Amino acid sequence: MTQTTTRFPQYATDYQALASTSGEPAWLTQLREQAWTRFEHLGLPIIRRGNEKWKYTDVRPVANVAFEHPLGLEPQVDSSQLQKAAPWDASWINLVFVDGYYSPNISSQPTGGVYVGSLAEAAQSHPELVQKHLAQQASFEDDGFVALNTAFLQDGAFVHVPAGQVLSAPVHLVFVTTGQVEPRVTYPRTLLLAGTNSQVTLVESYVSLADARFFTDAVTEIVLEDGANVSHYRLLLESTEAYHVGVSRVCQSQDSTFTSASFAKGAAIGRNDFQVLLDAPGASCTLNGLYLTTGTQHMDNYINIDHAKPNGTSRLLYKGILDGKSRAVFGGNVTVRQEAQKTDAQQTDKNLLLSLDAEVDSKPSLLIYADDVKCGHGATAGHIDDDTLFYMQSRGLDVETASQILIHAFASEIIDTVELTPLREYLDRLFMEAIPTSTLRLGRES
């Protein structure tokens, strides 16, 4: 069952305003038209009955707000504001997008044959390359959010690392929302192409400068050719009043290596829809995630790994820390197709509940169609262990300090996987400061 766009007149108005502009390649105009037509048919997934992908997440709060997409604004933000809102290192290649628009004045540029810059400019300077890969991994045929993002595709980030190139400096994409009186929507778009035997580190930061209500509809596409190595980090640090739907699609070729870690502590409703296709022998991926929710926040991680060819390896470990009346969802599949023999896959979801009112719905699953594989999955959810707390108190620690140490140790397993030292230190401080100072003692006694 679909929801037509008669419920979304603001999107229709903004799309018509965008369609009246010119200057883009004809193929891009056609792509946006196709996506808009598909969105008119799909709408947003407000009906959850029979829709397993959205069974535990209600997007009516998003659908019921008339989010405006301003056209042609040039908001002013300086780097000092960004350094307070996001991890920042002057040695990184930093690309900044403010309210959906590329800001070259506070962005940096690489040298040496690697393209890191505006997607709109790349569509003009590298048309064959962009047209070949854009919207090929993130299909809008059955996803209303991807269709909406593609329909409003004006600009974004394009990263191309040619074959054999090793980009030593991390690429940091900062998507910042300034916060306005009226609710607004932005459509961040990222396309990363890693050539044969290339290497690159990508950091995506989604941040806000005000505690305002807005909607971020983000799509990221990553393509790894043979032997490519990509390290990826995704940070959701937006306003606790914001709504965020992030769709990431990754396609791996032979003997490529993809490592990703997602971190989230912002947004009233957050969705991390991540899918990796291991489409050639010898490909491997590692997906880690850590999120902390408080109040009435809702965080949904929908993670899928598709082993399409033999001798693939995947590791998935997500951890959640929930406080207040917040709720989290973990779902998705590890699929092993019939021809994907010798697959080695492990999937794990762990959750720490700091409140009796917090709730998590965890549904990891394996779909195995091959007979020569080594696969496993599991999920846990529980409170701070009373016996461990008692032991630490017997060594002179008060209950709050002991609880914070245990929570930090729980989070550190994911944070410590971050290879970028400045980013790892930033995340460690961020999550330490976010740990509740007064934790309800939960365990067998509760």
Side-chain angles (χ1 to χ4, degrees):
M1 188 173 185
T2 59
Q3 174 63 56
T4 66
T5 53
T6 54
R7 284 181 56 93
F8 311 116
Q10 185 64 56
Y11 293 136
T13 299
D14 291 340
Y15 176 76
Q16 292 304 321
L18 176 61
S20 65
T21 62
S22 60
E24 65 186 16
W27 65 265
L28 182 55
T29 300
Q30 184 180 12
L31 176 66
R32 291 198 297 102
E33 290 174 349
Q34 293 171 348
W36 176 253
T37 299
R38 193 57 185 162
F39 177 73
E40 287 186 302
H41 175 74
L42 293 171
L44 299 180
I46 59 176
I47 299 175
R48 293 184 289 164
R49 178 174 295 180
N51 188 350
E52 194 66 26
K53 290 175 60 176
W54 293 94
K55 180 178 180 180
Y56 298 105
T57 298
D58 186 359
V59 299
R60 285 178 298 177
V62 181
N64 292 338
V65 178
F67 291 101
E68 179 186 357
H69 179 57
L71 187 62
L73 292 182
E74 296 183 1
Q76 299 297 318
V77 173
D78 58 53
S79 59
S80 63
Q81 292 176 287
L82 295 180
Q83 292 174 25
K84 297 177 181 179
W88 190 270
D89 192 298
S91 66
W92 296 355
I93 302 170
N94 298 291
L95 264 66
V96 181
F97 298 82
V98 181
D99 290 338
Y101 292 89
Y102 176 54
S103 298
N105 293 336
I106 50 178
S107 299
S108 53
Q109 297 293 333
T111 58
V114 176
Y115 185 99
V116 180
S118 163
L119 181 59
E121 294 177 2
Q124 301 284 353
S125 61
H126 300 70
E128 295 181 0
L129 192 62
V130 175
Q131 184 178 2
K132 178 181 178 181
H133 294 283
L134 187 64
Q136 297 303 304
Q137 309 307 321
S139 172
F140 52 76
E141 289 302 318
D142 60 353
D143 192 308
F145 287 106
V146 177
L148 187 62
N149 176 285
T150 307
F152 282 90
L153 204 164
Q154 292 176 268
D155 200 358
F158 179 60
V159 181
H160 177 223
V161 185
Q165 292 273 1
V166 175
L167 189 56
S168 57
V171 177
H172 185 201
L173 310 179
V174 186
F175 299 99
V176 57
T177 303
T178 57
Q180 304 293 331
V181 175
E182 68 278 7
R184 289 186 175 180
V185 57
T186 60
Y187 303 98
R189 189 77 180 215
T190 300
L191 176 61
L192 167 62
L193 307 179
T196 302
N197 297 322
S198 66
Q199 185 172 332
V200 62
T201 296
L202 178 71
V203 182
E204 296 179 68
S205 293
Y206 297 89
V207 301
S208 54
L209 301 182
D211 194 19
R213 182 172 59 166
F214 57 86
F215 172 35
T216 302
D217 182 10
V219 174
T220 297
E221 296 177 286
I222 300 175
V223 178
L224 292 81
E225 296 185 354
D226 293 355
N229 189 320
V230 174
S231 297
H232 171 257
Y233 303 100
R234 190 180 198 278
L235 281 61
L236 174 52
L237 308 174
E238 292 179 335
S239 162
T240 54
E241 299 295 320
Y243 305 126
H244 182 104
V245 175
V247 175
S248 302
R249 298 290 182 263
V250 182
C251 182
Q252 295 187 235
S253 296
Q254 186 167 339
D255 298 325
S256 62
T257 302
F258 179 74
T259 303
S260 179
S262 299
F263 299 89
K265 66 171 293 294
I269 298 177
R271 167 86 163 187
N272 177 30
D273 182 343
F274 213 109
Q275 181 174 306
V276 178
L277 171 63
L278 287 79
D279 202 27
S284 65
C285 72
T286 299
L287 307 183
N288 294 321
L290 175 66
Y291 58 90
L292 188 151
T293 58
T294 61
T296 58
Q297 286 180 293
H298 181 104
M299 186 64 203
D300 183 347
N301 290 292
Y302 185 68
I303 316 298
N304 291 273
I305 301 175
D306 185 355
H307 287 268
K309 296 296 188 293
N311 298 298
T313 302
S314 67
R315 294 290 183 269
L316 190 157
L317 174 59
Y318 266 63
K319 285 190 168 187
I321 303 171
L322 291 78
D323 195 23
K325 296 182 179 180
S326 63
R327 184 171 182 179
V329 181
F330 177 86
N333 303 309
V334 173
T335 302
V336 182
R337 302 189 196 182
Q338 185 174 359
E339 59 269 32
Q341 304 293 341
K342 303 294 184 180
T343 289
D344 183 355
Q346 298 293 326
Q347 179 190 38
T348 306
D349 174 47
K350 297 182 179 180
N351 297 277
L352 183 60
L353 306 179
L354 306 183
S355 165
L356 290 173
D357 295 318
E359 180 181 344
V360 60
D361 296 293
S362 185
K363 190 181 177 183
S365 63
L366 295 172
L367 300 175
I368 303 175
Y369 302 98
D371 53 17
D372 186 5
V373 300
K374 183 170 66 174
C375 301
H377 69 115
T380 62
H383 307 298
I384 296 176
D385 180 64
D386 281 335
D387 291 339
T388 306
L389 272 180
F390 177 78
Y391 174 82
M392 298 180 73
Q393 287 180 275
S394 70
R395 295 301 186 268
L397 297 176
D398 60 78
V399 63
E400 290 187 2
T401 301
S403 298
Q404 287 185 312
I405 291 174
L406 291 173
I407 297 169
H408 181 247
F410 179 82
S412 292
E413 184 179 3
I414 304 298
I415 296 175
D416 289 346
T417 65
V418 177
E419 295 183 353
L420 295 177
T421 300
L423 180 59
R424 183 174 63 251
E425 293 175 347
Y426 173 88
L427 291 168
D428 192 63
R429 291 194 303 270
L430 184 73
F431 279 87
M432 273 295 291
E433 294 171 357
I435 292 174
T437 57
S438 179
T439 303
L440 178 63
R441 186 177 180 182
L442 296 170
R444 294 190 306 270
E445 296 176 359
S446 62

